[in-house]
Amino acid sequence: SSCVKHPPLSVWTLSSQPTQPSALFTTIMSSLLLEQYLESVEALPSDLHRNFALMRELDDQAEAESRRLDTTCREFLDELGHISPEERKRKLTKIQSAFKSTLELSDQKVSLAVQTYETVRYRCRNLHWLHLG
């Protein structure tokens, strides 16, 4: 009868231990992460410029819509005693539509501002993580 010999316990223990990454590996990974981060940050100024330009455009549109709304409301109030109920209803519907349009433009602007903030916040967190890592 042949007996199978197993290696000593110390060999099993050593081979099952997780190995620490080498300094070279850590340096390479850090370098790759930094390079990847820098590439993403390079696009940040153009992303911010585009978002701020779009916010400005939305703001201009909302201002123009708000001026039209103001004019429509003033005309409505000036004509209130001289128009038929049907005309009054039509003008109120027009005012309501202009108000909704202004509100939608403002909501888009706020949404874009939040998106821009989150983009910058995400990039700052990544930079902080790289600094600590």
Side-chain angles (χ1 to χ4, degrees):
S1 88
S2 82
C3 190
V4 176
K5 291 191 175 188
H6 294 284
L9 184 57
S10 62
V11 172
W12 287 105
T13 306
L14 288 175
S15 65
S16 65
Q17 294 282 329
T19 59
Q20 294 294 324
S22 71
L24 178 61
F25 176 76
T26 303
T27 302
I28 290 172
M29 288 305 295
S30 294
S31 178
L32 289 173
L33 288 172
L34 181 59
E35 184 178 330
Q36 197 175 36
Y37 176 77
L38 291 174
E39 287 174 2
S40 73
V41 169
E42 285 176 359
L44 186 59
S46 62
D47 291 346
L48 291 177
H49 179 73
R50 183 176 48 252
N51 285 1
F52 285 123
L54 185 53
M55 278 190 272
R56 196 173 314 119
E57 182 181 319
L58 289 169
D59 192 48
D60 290 345
Q61 290 175 9
E63 279 293 320
E65 191 66 32
S66 182
R67 283 191 298 275
R68 281 193 291 274
L69 177 60
D70 186 58
T71 300
T72 304
C73 286
R74 287 177 193 275
E75 289 172 357
F76 175 75
L77 292 174
D78 288 345
E79 300 170 347
L80 190 56
H82 311 291
I83 56 176
S84 68
E86 295 82 22
E87 183 68 16
R88 183 180 309 150
K89 185 176 181 179
R90 186 185 70 73
K91 288 188 181 255
L92 283 173
T93 301
K94 184 178 176 182
I95 289 170
Q96 183 180 22
S97 176
F99 181 74
K100 283 182 181 180
S101 177
T102 302
L103 189 59
E104 287 172 4
L105 289 167
S106 297
D107 286 346
Q108 289 176 12
K109 183 180 171 188
V110 168
S111 178
L112 186 57
V114 168
Q115 176 189 347
T116 302
Y117 169 79
E118 289 298 325
T119 298
V120 172
R121 184 170 158 242
Y122 172 77
R123 302 281 171 84
C124 287
R125 275 197 329 224
N126 282 349
L127 182 60
H128 181 71
W129 180 80
L130 280 173
H131 178 70
L132 294 178

